[in-house]
Amino acid sequence: MTVLRTTVPSEKTAQWWRDSIIYQLYVKSFADSDGDGVGDLDGVTAGLDHIARLGVDGIWLNPCYPSPNRDGGYDVADYTRIDGRYGGMPAFERLLAATHDRGLKLLMDLVPNHCSDQHEWFQQALVAAPGSPERDRFIFRDGRGVDGAEPPNNWRSTFGGSAWTRINDDPGDAQWYLHSFDSSQPDFNWQNEQVGQMFDDVLRTWFDRGIDGFRIDVAYAMVKHAELPDLADPAGDNPYLWNQPGVHEIFKRWRKISDSYGRDLTLLGEVWLPPADATDYIRAGELNQVFYFDLLQQPFEAGAFRLSIAETLAGLKGVDGVPTWTLNSHDVHRSVTRYGLVEAEPMNSPDVNALRTRARGPVDVELGTHRAIAATLLVLALPGSVYLYQGEELGLPEVQDLPEDTRQDPIWARSEHAEYGRDGCRVPMPWSASGRSFGFSADDAVSAPWLPQPAWFADFAADRQQDDPDSVLAFYRRALHARQQLDQAADLEWLETGREDVLAFRRGAISCVTVFDGCSFMPPAEWGALVCSSLPAVDAAERWLAAGSTGWYAV
Ligand code: NOJ
């Protein structure tokens, strides 16, 4: 294989986020430095060598604020501090300094749609009277029916069950509050200016501390339809809960704050919308970036990938924005499992995203691994930014068979066990093939990992892969370093392959070719020599790309 010139990662400057690769950290599950079975920020600091060696540009921390952890920290009790379980503010300051010392960026997770029921504002609201200013920071309504015993409307929570919870049985105060997710996560009332002001302060607090941006949780949910109307089909999608026009005003306000720092901060929205709608969020003066989750929801098929990429790029014409891609996260089944699923079990979920991203069933791990790394190399060749999720660099499959009594995701209980939820992609990382917790905690740790690791995690341990040039880990390092050669200013031009199962496009000098199916493929000589591939070429001359792999050819 022709070896690409190696370069030292450049110190990214203007609009660094446009083509950056960011490593997502589910802090609880990365590395446990103090033996309590829960990952923490000193564990992340200790793991920065591993992260930096991959060749990424920065990290994003899932929420690590004080929280009762009913929904993995997305139930925030205090937006301005770090939970003691993760090491508190001192550990955060150590991590931020170590991250910046390496030239890496650090993004936090902002959760503005809802807080924890333990947040002081919600506690105040519970003891305040109906109609009080304290209640007005949330979405309280009287119930319907006799004694207000029925919820104010028929909306369902994304996690299952009603989206409303009644605070008590007192007939004088039968109010209910809205929660788009778990009942421990009351939605804020964004029509109340105090909510806006609190979040202005939260943004400034963390920007003043030196972070480089925020990933914004359910960024399209904060504003609801003003009338809170009943749904014709409560089991279907809820158009009144998401993507209301008023939500854009919030981002204009936040963008003024982030721009006022003059240091190139990024605001990245989590928006589960079709590409054209997602692009609305990165119009001038709003968010810098938005996730395009459409690709992640596609099957491993050339036509599906091409359509999703083409729609995303077409929607961006006339917008000074770039796509942000991801194939894995803490909310979806790991890509090895999605792409290697042999037969999906029937699933009874009202959540369309769940149907596409968390199907269960037997998995061909080798097939899934080949496809997952082929998809990764394809995505790395696209214009824009790429987010990786911890453990994908080890090729971890989803842990589908966690013992039922260990499951923690509120989806499991709220769906009355119809849906297993997201614990299987959150199992603590295997660092070593031996040891009680595969190196996640020290061997003399007081507590076992917060979710049990299966015995087969040994096969995926980082130390097994470290020096193996054929490992998934070695692939990720090669691929990310190869990406430094991509001309990020180059447009994407589709290339004819003559086969429906082979997708190819050119960016600058690099032609990216993916063989989704069938048999191996030889690109025309003018596409150049193979410089990086997800599987070895099938011939000694390295022209033939193996079935189920991606290769980059360069002239
Ligand atoms: C999206 C987050 O990624 C997910 O983990 C969380 O459960 C919901 N938002 C609610 O905050």
Side-chain angles (χ1 to χ4, degrees):
M1 191 177 300
T2 308
V3 177
L4 283 170
R5 243 175 332 118
T6 47
T7 52
V8 178
S10 56
E11 181 64 31
K12 299 226 175 193
T13 50
Q15 301 200 321
W16 54 272
W17 42 269
R18 289 178 84 93
D19 56 20
S20 283
I21 301 181
I22 304 293
Y23 186 90
Q24 179 193 346
L25 281 148
Y26 200 73
V27 176
K28 273 177 97 172
S29 302
F30 185 73
D32 167 23
S33 75
D34 58 6
D36 63 358
V38 177
D40 47 49
L41 294 183
D42 281 335
V44 175
T45 304
L48 279 180
D49 276 344
H50 168 85
I51 296 170
R53 232 188 118 186
L54 286 171
V56 301
D57 302 298
I59 57 175
W60 150 35
L61 305 177
N62 278 124
C64 39
Y65 313 102
S67 161
N69 253 291
R70 294 279 298 276
D71 179 26
Y74 284 96
D75 45 327
V76 179
D78 177 350
Y79 289 87
T80 60
R81 292 188 301 115
I82 298 288
D83 199 307
R85 268 171 308 184
Y86 303 126
M89 284 307 294
F92 173 77
E93 279 154 20
R94 287 191 286 276
L95 173 60
L96 183 64
T99 306
H100 283 169
D101 280 351
R102 289 165 191 272
L104 300 176
K105 306 289 185 185
L106 188 148
L107 308 184
M108 299 286 283
D109 208 318
L110 186 70
V111 190
N113 178 66
H114 47 265
C115 59
S116 159
D117 58 5
Q118 299 307 305
H119 189 281
E120 63 167 342
W121 276 8
F122 193 71
Q123 290 296 311
Q124 290 164 5
L126 287 179
V127 294
S132 61
E134 288 84 358
R135 290 238 172 132
D136 191 55
R137 293 163 175 157
F138 298 91
I139 304 176
F140 278 90
R141 292 288 184 278
D142 291 336
R144 298 195 287 202
V146 179
D147 291 337
E150 300 298 322
N153 71 19
N154 65 359
W155 294 5
R156 312 280 300 163
S157 144
T158 313
F159 290 168
S162 172
W164 296 91
T165 291
R166 189 181 183 181
I167 56 170
N168 59 44
D169 293 332
D170 175 356
D173 178 7
Q175 283 210 305
W176 300 65
Y177 64 91
L178 180 71
H179 49 86
S180 304
F181 296 93
D182 187 51
S183 56
S184 67
Q185 295 168 294
D187 282 30
F188 283 114
N189 170 21
W190 270 88
Q191 308 309 317
N192 182 318
E193 177 53 20
Q194 286 180 31
V195 173
Q197 280 173 11
M198 179 181 87
F199 277 95
D200 290 354
D201 290 346
V202 169
L203 257 71
R204 290 200 181 96
T205 299
W206 291 100
F207 287 151
D208 288 346
R209 287 175 179 158
I211 69 160
D212 302 292
F214 283 107
R215 173 268 191 189
I216 300 156
D217 191 57
V218 282
Y220 59 145
M222 281 91 89
V223 176
K224 278 72 178 176
H225 189 294
E227 318 282 313
L228 305 181
D230 265 336
L231 290 162
D233 172 15
D237 200 22
N238 185 344
Y240 307 134
L241 197 54
W242 321 107
N243 202 24
Q244 299 292 308
V247 79
H248 294 272
E249 298 310 312
I250 300 172
F251 304 130
K252 290 178 189 156
R253 174 173 177 154
W254 289 356
R255 184 62 183 270
K256 285 195 190 113
I257 294 175
S258 65
D259 281 352
S260 74
Y261 280 79
R263 57 164 218 266
D264 213 2
L265 305 169
T266 191
L267 298 172
L268 162 64
E270 186 216 14
V271 165
W272 288 82
L273 290 172
D277 297 330
T279 298
D280 282 342
Y281 287 74
I282 54 170
R283 299 206 177 272
E286 297 198 32
L287 298 177
N288 305 76
Q289 297 177 266
V290 74
F291 276 119
Y292 286 85
F293 290 116
D294 188 69
L295 186 64
L296 179 156
Q297 298 177 66
Q298 301 306 323
F300 189 77
E301 287 168 16
F305 267 55
R306 177 167 176 156
L307 188 63
S308 180
I309 294 165
E311 279 184 3
T312 300
L313 298 179
L316 281 160
K317 292 232 161 67
V319 180
D320 179 30
V322 286
T324 301
W325 309 99
T326 187
L327 294 173
N328 284 285
S329 81
H330 63 295
D331 288 331
V332 299
H333 277 189
R334 289 188 176 274
S335 53
V336 168
T337 296
R338 294 201 315 274
Y339 298 143
L341 198 64
V342 178
E343 197 185 334
E345 290 169 5
M347 190 168 166
N348 176 21
S349 172
D351 179 354
V352 284
N353 293 342
L355 298 173
R356 294 198 196 113
T357 62
R358 297 200 293 269
R360 295 166 55 83
V363 173
D364 179 337
V365 172
E366 189 182 2
L367 177 74
T369 304
H370 290 175
R371 289 176 166 182
I373 60 177
T376 296
L377 192 56
L378 182 159
V379 164
L380 288 174
L382 295 172
S385 164
V386 179
Y387 276 59
L388 307 175
Y389 175 53
Q390 72 183 36
E392 73 170 274
E393 78 278 21
L394 302 179
L396 282 182
E398 186 77 8
V399 183
Q400 294 196 65
D401 54 356
L402 279 167
E404 297 195 346
D405 60 349
T406 66
R407 292 193 175 272
Q408 314 242 345
D409 187 345
I411 290 178
W412 172 240
R414 287 196 67 87
S415 70
E416 295 172 346
H417 301 183
E419 237 225 270
Y420 285 81
R422 304 158 296 177
D423 292 313
C425 61
R426 301 173 175 181
V427 176
M429 292 271 280
W431 294 104
S432 56
S434 58
R436 274 176 54 209
S437 59
F438 302 112
F440 171 69
S441 309
D443 271 351
D444 59 358
V446 184
S447 308
W450 69 279
L451 275 176
Q453 301 155 299
W456 51 261
F457 256 32
D459 299 338
F460 295 85
D463 69 349
R464 280 235 173 125
Q465 303 194 35
Q466 196 71 18
D467 301 314
D468 175 1
D470 296 326
S471 65
V472 172
L473 179 57
F475 159 76
Y476 267 82
R477 289 179 180 152
R478 267 198 317 275
L480 266 60
H481 282 89
R483 189 172 184 269
Q484 290 166 14
Q485 303 301 310
L486 257 190
D487 175 4
Q488 293 295 349
D491 283 338
L492 181 148
E493 176 199 346
W494 294 106
L495 299 170
E496 277 310 319
T497 65
R499 268 176 56 178
E500 277 185 5
D501 61 341
V502 180
L503 196 63
F505 59 85
R506 178 174 296 142
R507 289 195 62 218
I510 300 222
S511 296
C512 174
V513 187
T514 305
V515 186
F516 280 81
D517 221 334
C519 51
S520 51
F521 174 79
M522 182 168 74
E526 62 267 25
W527 294 6
L530 191 62
V531 291
C532 185
S533 58
S534 59
L535 293 179
V538 291
D539 63 325
E542 298 190 326
R543 295 289 313 143
W544 286 89
L545 197 57
S549 77
T550 294
W552 289 9
Y553 292 78
V555 281

